[in-house]
DNA sequence: TTGTATGCGTTATCAG
DNA sequence: CTGATAACGCATACAA
């Protein structure tokens, strides 16, 4: 039980050559000219000894490692948990296991190297989120020899030469804003940041839409905060202090929205009666928020699925090398729940009437 | 740029032997008798060619793969996202990468085998959550040759021979119930299930405490539901229909609590004025729930850290093999927030007064 | 100080 | 039908 059994062990025990064992254990069709006698004997001994093939040795011979690397921008971002789940599931369906990489933790040179070092073990790498903050890592990855696919890098800045899969941020924000304006909101603020591509794009789409719609946009309506619950809380508290309070808020992510909802509650501002809030991503908890969160559903499965296909599928993009880099964009849907309602005409009268 | 550069490539380019390159590239101290000239020359060529060591070849020679396997019971359980984050961080600090395994998805024989196959690549494996549902996998793991550590398998059933790290479920539940009874609650229901060890222990602790305290426990006060948001919602709806409504509810996990809070809101039951709710785990969103959730804080970092130490640390338990198996138990803390309040004497009068 | 030879566990190519 | 034998990329004992 100490040392795992090797092919040689099996061969010795069976009184045959190690190469014979290899043949028998690998060839699925029984037809591959090996005598049935030795075949069964070797098989029996192999399972008796608990033989397991050694993946490293196989990989050394050029076999795929069946390892899919996942480098997450910020593993503490709640959005990526479902993303990793989805990735893990998709990978498994293709027989791959997921290796978690680290981007944020120590964005120094040494770490970047390490990440690439790990890369050697993987058949492909999936980048989750905008890794603009660790350019060195991206650089190393580019001159690495594994296939790299970037998910949620935004649709704009494609400095790196990786195929990308993203969501149509502009369409999502426009859907959300169309919903709010249809509810007669005229004072709509935005909570987001500049941290990474997707959020920047969402902000840009907000600015664009408001300009087009000719909606007022006082100073302070755009809140740049870190992407987290407390970021959302801070931003909302600040917005409530504004002379012209917004009647609706659109947040760049659901996590910000959750923080905003909570801060509204703490400040005794009724959602949606006094304030409508829209999120982005449709993370699982959004459907159980109090009140349930109107948000833009991220086509998570589609995006991850496409990413995995690009990474380890038998797609043709790798073979070409010259053709256009795939740049897939998936469309999100607006999910209307209870955190949005018609704008209150003047003073909030509907407080406590939970539109049920 | 096609094929990654090997040591031989570097050696050829530098006009030295491959073994020389190996020596130069591996020996940290400059003192290892190699001429400075060749040293710098080889180093230059190596980095010029973008040489990266091949982990598989190293591992084949007996070097550790620096891969830590993580087999998660149910990767869709929101509790495990932070756990995986913590694991990933802890692993990184020791230079390890985390490989995600799959338990739930296809609990059949083939998958179990696959998981063990992957195991060969890992230096150790960490089990996250009770894997009682996939005994075959556990069986395979036991006769595997890697170190296995079980986290959150409950403190009771230790059929398998793995070291374990758990939380003191009984203490956590008792703290929660002590808190509720101090608030004069006499009708306390429990939402949980039988799905896995930790939850079973929490339920048992609840039953025990209520018996000791001589508290009434009508039929239907124990709700067995799947561990998820909708499970919590269902359970709460059912509890509200009881003739003797509970004034407080303790849930086996925060996710169940989130579902319960949401269902209470949908049913226009004010939390905590009409109904107090306590969770277990202290997942990140609990602090931003509406209202914020009183819960039992899981010493996540401590547990994961201890697990990683057991798995890949230089601890002595592996060397012995005969001594007692480590069975670490960490103590949780009660975190009192806003979802609990004094039991309403009779009809709820405090509605809307948010105890601020 | 550096080159040669060997083996880690497999797979694949030859002979026999 | 099966047994030697040669890589795969690297580390290391040994020879020069």
């Amino acid at each position: 039980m100490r040392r795992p059994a090797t092919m040689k062990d099996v061969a010795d025990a069976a009184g045959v050559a190690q190469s014979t064992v290899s043949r028998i254990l690998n060839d699925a069709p029984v037809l591959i000219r090996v005598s049935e006698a030795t075949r069964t004997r070797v098989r029996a001994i192999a399972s008796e000894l608990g033989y397991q093939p050694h993946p490293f040795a196989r990989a050394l011979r050029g076999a795929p490692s069946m390892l899919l690397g996942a480098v997450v921008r910020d593993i503490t971002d709640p959005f990526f948990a479902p993303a990793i789940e989805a990735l893990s599931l998709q990978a498994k369906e293709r027989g791959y296991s997921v290796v978690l990489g680290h981007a944020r933790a120590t964005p120094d040179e040494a770490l970047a190297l390490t990440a690439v070092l790990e890369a050697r073990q993987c058949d492909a790498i999936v980048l989750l989120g905008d890794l603009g903050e660790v350019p060195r890592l991206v650089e190393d990855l580019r001159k690495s020899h594994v296939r790299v696919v970037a998910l949620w890098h935004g649709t704009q800045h494609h400095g790196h030469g990786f195929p990308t899969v993203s969501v149509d941020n502009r369409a999502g924000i426009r859907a959300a804003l169309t919903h709010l304006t249809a509810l007669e909101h005229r004072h709509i603020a935005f909570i987001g940041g500049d941290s990474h591509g997707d959020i920047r794009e969402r902000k840009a789409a907000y600015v664009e839409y408001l300009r087009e719609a000719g909606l007022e946009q006082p100073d302070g309506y755009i809140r740049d905060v870190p992407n987290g619950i407390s970021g959302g809380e801070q931003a909302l508290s600040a917005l409530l202090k504004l002379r012209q309070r917004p009647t609706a808020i659109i947040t760049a992510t659901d996590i910000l929205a959750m923080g905003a909802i909570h801060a509204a509650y703490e400040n005794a501002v009724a959602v949606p009666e006094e304030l409508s809030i829209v999120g982005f991503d449709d993370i699982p908890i959004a459907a159980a928020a109090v009140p349930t969160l109107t948000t833009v559903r991220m086509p998570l499965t589609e995006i991850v699925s496409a990413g995995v296909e690009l990474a380890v599928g038998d797609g043709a993009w790798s073979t070409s090398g010259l053709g256009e880099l795939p740049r897939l964009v998936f469309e999100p849907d607006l999910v209307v729940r209870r955190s949005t309602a018609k704008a209150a005409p003047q003073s909030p009268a509907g407080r406590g009437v939970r539109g049920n």
Side-chain angles (χ1 to χ4, degrees), chain A:
Chain A
M1 268 288 185
R2 177 63 34 73
R3 180 177 54 81
T6 77
M7 272 194 177
K8 186 167 188 311
D9 298 330
V10 177
D12 290 350
V16 298
Q18 178 261 338
S19 59
T20 303
V21 177
S22 178
R23 273 191 286 262
I24 293 176
L25 264 32
N26 287 318
D27 296 334
V30 191
L31 318 163
I32 306 291
R33 338 302 274 353
V34 180
S35 82
E36 200 55 40
T38 49
R39 178 184 302 276
T40 51
R41 184 161 47 92
V42 166
R43 283 218 171 108
I45 295 185
S47 76
E48 184 185 342
L49 265 48
Y51 168 78
Q52 296 282 133
H54 194 128
F56 292 147
R58 285 188 159 165
L60 198 55
R61 299 268 324 159
S65 66
M66 302 313 271
L67 255 28
L68 179 60
V71 179
V72 188
R73 170 168 51 78
D74 177 7
I75 199 168
T76 66
D77 184 334
F79 168 74
F80 288 115
I84 292 174
E85 294 170 15
L87 181 65
S88 183
L89 260 23
Q90 292 289 331
K92 185 193 68 66
E93 286 191 2
R94 296 165 185 266
Y96 279 80
S97 290
V98 171
V99 182
L100 250 33
H102 322 263
R104 185 68 158 281
T106 340
D108 61 354
E109 310 293 308
L111 181 70
L113 257 337
T114 303
V116 173
L117 214 141
E118 293 163 2
R120 279 290 294 262
Q121 323 213 18
C122 301
D123 293 338
I125 295 212
V126 176
L127 269 24
L128 267 41
D130 184 346
L131 262 45
E133 294 166 356
V134 277
R136 174 62 190 270
L137 193 158
V138 174
E139 183 60 26
D140 282 357
L141 245 25
R142 175 166 6 187
K143 58 179 171 221
S144 136
H145 299 85
V146 290
R147 270 149 104 155
V148 178
V149 178
L151 269 38
W152 294 293
H153 271 219
T155 56
Q156 310 292 353
H157 81 108
H158 290 306
H160 54 71
F162 307 140
T164 59
V165 186
S166 338
V167 68
D168 190 338
N169 290 306
R170 184 167 174 274
I173 292 294
R174 293 181 79 88
L177 285 167
T178 302
H179 169 64
L180 288 177
T181 51
L183 291 172
E184 296 173 19
H185 287 279
R186 314 253 102 210
H187 302 287
I188 307 173
F190 179 88
I191 302 179
D194 282 311
S195 49
H196 58 281
D198 277 324
I199 290 187
R200 276 196 300 273
E201 284 183 27
R202 291 167 198 176
K203 181 160 82 172
Y206 159 85
V207 171
E208 179 201 52
Y209 185 97
L210 257 56
R211 188 169 20 77
E212 287 180 15
L215 286 180
E216 190 183 4
Q217 196 183 312
D219 275 357
Y221 263 37
I222 297 185
R223 313 303 308 187
D224 287 347
V225 289
N227 185 34
I229 289 175
S230 62
E233 291 170 348
Q234 290 170 225
L236 189 103
S237 300
L239 286 170
L240 291 182
K241 297 199 185 87
L242 255 35
R243 205 161 47 83
Q244 170 65 68
R245 266 197 194 184
T247 62
I249 291 173
I250 183 162
T251 63
T253 69
D254 277 2
I255 283 302
L256 290 169
M258 297 301 288
I261 286 184
H262 178 242
Y265 168 76
E266 293 293 341
N267 285 279
V269 172
V271 177
E273 292 80 6
E274 297 175 66
L275 183 67
S276 287
I277 297 181
V278 185
F280 203 121
D281 287 343
D282 195 21
I283 62 178
I285 198 74
V290 174
T292 56
L293 182 66
T294 295
T295 187
V296 178
R297 191 188 78 85
M298 170 73 64
L300 189 61
T301 309
E302 292 89 329
I303 289 180
V304 169
S305 182
V308 172
E309 167 65 28
L310 248 28
V312 299
D314 15 52
W317 78 266
S318 68
T319 63
S320 68
L322 301 106
E324 279 300 300
L325 234 38
R327 301 213 185 293
L328 276 33
V329 177
F330 286 83
E331 294 304 317
D333 309 306
L334 183 71
V335 181
V336 178
R337 298 206 183 94
R338 303 280 194 73
S339 66
T340 48
K342 201 153 194 176
Q346 50 255 31
S347 73
R351 173 92 182 276
V353 182
R354 274 195 300 244
N356 193 358

